[in-house]
Structures are given as C-alpha cells and as structure tokens.
Amino acid sequence: MTARKTPQTMKPATAAKKLGVYLQATPAEFQEGAVSRDELNALQADPPEWLRELRRTGPHPRPVVAAKLGVSISGLARAGITEALTTDEIEAIKSENPDWLEHERATQADVRRQAAELRNKTD
C-alpha cells in the first residue's frame, strides 16, 4: 500500500505575502481557503485579472509601499504610515517629496552603502 502525498498548503496570509499583495484586498474566496503550492505557482505564472489589478493599483502591503518609496518598513512607521497604500497615494507622496521621505531615503542609502562595504571587506 502506497501513501498518497497530500499537497502542501499555506494560509492565505502567507500566499498573499508571497504574491506581494494586501490580503484584505484579495477576493473573499482567496482569503477564506488554503492555497496549495501548485495554486500559488499558477497564480504567479498566469495571474488572474484581480491579481494583476491589485499589483497595478493596490492597495499595497507595507513591504511593497516601502520598496516603491525607496525606504525601509521602519522608515514608514517613523513617518506614521502603518496602513496599505494605493499606487496613486504612493505617487502623491513621491511628487510631494516630504522631508521625512528625503530623510528616510538618505538613511536607506546609507544602510545599503554600509552593507556593501561590509560585503566587500569579507570578500
């Protein structure tokens, strides 16, 4: 008798994180069910319209917001941004270029420079 292999599944929150989308903005059927590895791969390979739209317009989770603004997640928190933002909201922040954004971008650039220096020292 051979044992049947059960598909590996993940919680919707984990799948949303891997897809780079804000879980609360996904369809109810996505939020309510487990996602198999095969389903995740299919979503990544051929995203349905709802996923393409979320990636295009948001709302985006904080890691994506931080990346689009060129700052760290901690930098977002220091600026008081704790919620998901849409692409339009992110673009508005970029065009306003507030002092906090300039400061956090400079901090992020400094962190990256220091990390690069450390990598070069160990090579």
Side-chain angles (χ1 to χ4, degrees):
M1 182 178 220
T2 59
R4 292 186 65 189
K5 189 175 179 182
T6 58
Q8 182 181 7
T9 60
M10 62 193 82
K11 293 178 183 177
T14 303
K17 186 175 184 179
K18 289 181 179 287
L19 292 169
V21 295
Y22 186 57
L23 177 63
Q24 288 78 0
T26 62
E29 60 269 12
F30 181 86
Q31 293 181 39
E32 294 164 1
V35 179
S36 73
R37 180 81 49 202
D38 289 342
E39 289 169 331
L40 179 70
N41 290 341
L43 287 169
Q44 289 172 323
D46 186 22
E49 182 55 33
W50 66 263
L51 181 54
R52 288 195 302 271
E53 184 64 21
L54 266 182
R55 287 178 169 169
R56 192 170 34 254
T57 63
H60 304 287
R62 288 185 313 140
V64 174
V65 172
K68 287 179 177 278
L69 289 173
V71 301
S72 67
I73 295 173
S74 299
L76 286 179
R78 285 189 290 273
I81 298 174
T82 58
E83 298 298 317
L85 297 178
T86 65
T87 299
D88 288 344
E89 291 168 327
I90 294 167
E91 291 304 317
I93 291 170
K94 284 181 176 178
S95 67
E96 291 166 12
N97 199 25
D99 290 342
W100 71 262
L101 182 59
E102 285 188 33
H103 175 76
E104 292 299 337
R105 282 180 170 169
T107 300
Q108 187 74 353
D110 192 43
V111 167
R112 287 187 182 125
R113 181 187 53 73
Q114 290 174 10
E117 287 175 3
L118 283 174
R119 277 193 305 275
N120 290 338
K121 285 181 182 178
T122 59
D123 287 345

